[in-house]
Amino acid sequence: WHNGTKRTAIMQRQDISTSLHALPGSPPVRWRIAQSLVGYDEAVETMEKEATAIANGEADELVWLVEHPPLYTAGTSADAADLVSPDRFPVFSTGRGGEYTYHGPGQRVVYVMLDLKRRRQDVRAFVAALEEVVIDTLSSMNVRGERREDRVGVWVRRPDRPPLPDGSPAEDKVAAIGIRLRRWVSFHGFSLNVDPDLDHFSGIVPCGIRGYGVTSLVDLGLPVMMSDVDVRIRESFEQVFGPTVSDVHCQPSSRSQA
């Protein structure tokens, strides 16, 4: 209370419980890894089909790991002024939250199709849980990823670079998060920069945030392979969301028999 007025404190994402395991008896999450570049339209079509099937009880939950050819996506909050080079790569409007984002080879995109009715119907907790997966993945490689309450995504401090104009330490974004929910089933997800061409980010203002840079695991001095990162993402995901099973079926909306 302050001057007779009740104030409700908003819990910060770092303080939210990020354990989002499914209800007891739920099947494991299907885990699928694309073996070649996936076009963005194909990815959206697959997510739409899978999310609908999951919501209808016709398919188990799914996490799908892909790489895209170079492209920009515009979220529901995108400002046209943040598209610096509109003719550089194809631009796709998308229903996820957020602003402009780059996707391309060397970046692991993780599409997460989970039924939050089986877990927790809390959007902020879900975003915090995805951040936790990235932070845990980075920690397993001795990189300290951090949340920022005013900036969704995962950030790393860069003490090797000059401080920002306000004197605060330089920071670079290593992972972006953008989600959409329909009938409490999520789609879209997060992207982690493993070894993309960082110059490709110069065609946009990433996520509409000026004054900060973009980095990758290789840029941070970790010469890792995508397959190694995939293993660590899966381990971290299972800590936060529960067990997974390798998805041996390639057809969308098919319930795993594994």
Side-chain angles (χ1 to χ4, degrees), residues 48-214:
E48 293 272 1
K49 290 180 179 179
E50 291 284 2
T52 297
I54 292 166
N56 291 338
E58 299 167 353
D60 296 336
E61 298 170 301
L62 173 67
V63 171
W64 185 28
L65 283 66
V66 309
E67 287 179 84
H68 288 303
L71 58 91
Y72 298 129
T73 65
T76 54
S77 303
D79 182 343
D82 291 336
L83 183 58
V84 180
S85 303
D87 299 323
R88 188 170 187 180
F89 298 124
V91 181
F92 296 87
S93 295
T94 178
R96 64 159 174 79
E99 305 191 37
Y100 282 104
T101 300
Y102 166 77
H103 295 312
Q107 180 193 70
R108 176 52 86 202
V109 179
V110 181
Y111 289 130
V112 182
M113 286 150 273
L114 299 181
D115 185 355
L116 298 192
K117 295 191 299 295
R118 306 181 197 176
R119 298 173 182 274
R120 197 190 321 167
Q121 291 171 257
D122 185 328
V123 177
R124 293 186 75 236
F126 180 54
V127 171
L130 292 178
E131 290 174 332
E132 191 68 21
V133 171
V134 177
I135 290 169
D136 286 351
T137 299
L138 296 174
S139 179
S140 73
M141 294 179 281
N142 297 312
V143 174
R144 182 179 178 181
E146 299 179 84
R147 293 181 180 86
R148 292 293 177 261
E149 290 302 321
D150 59 337
R151 295 177 255 132
V152 174
V154 178
W155 302 77
V156 293
R157 301 188 189 196
R158 302 302 301 267
D160 53 314
R161 295 187 177 173
L164 299 176
D166 64 0
S168 59
E171 296 181 341
D172 286 346
K173 192 171 193 175
V174 70
I177 295 175
I179 64 166
R180 185 177 181 183
L181 294 175
R182 181 185 297 145
R183 297 163 61 190
W184 285 104
V185 174
S186 67
F187 47 117
H188 299 282
F190 68 86
S191 58
L192 175 62
N193 297 331
V194 179
D195 188 21
D197 186 336
L198 294 179
D199 181 64
H200 290 179
F201 286 89
S202 65
I204 58 172
V205 178
C207 300
I209 300 172
R210 301 178 185 272
Y212 297 93
V214 178

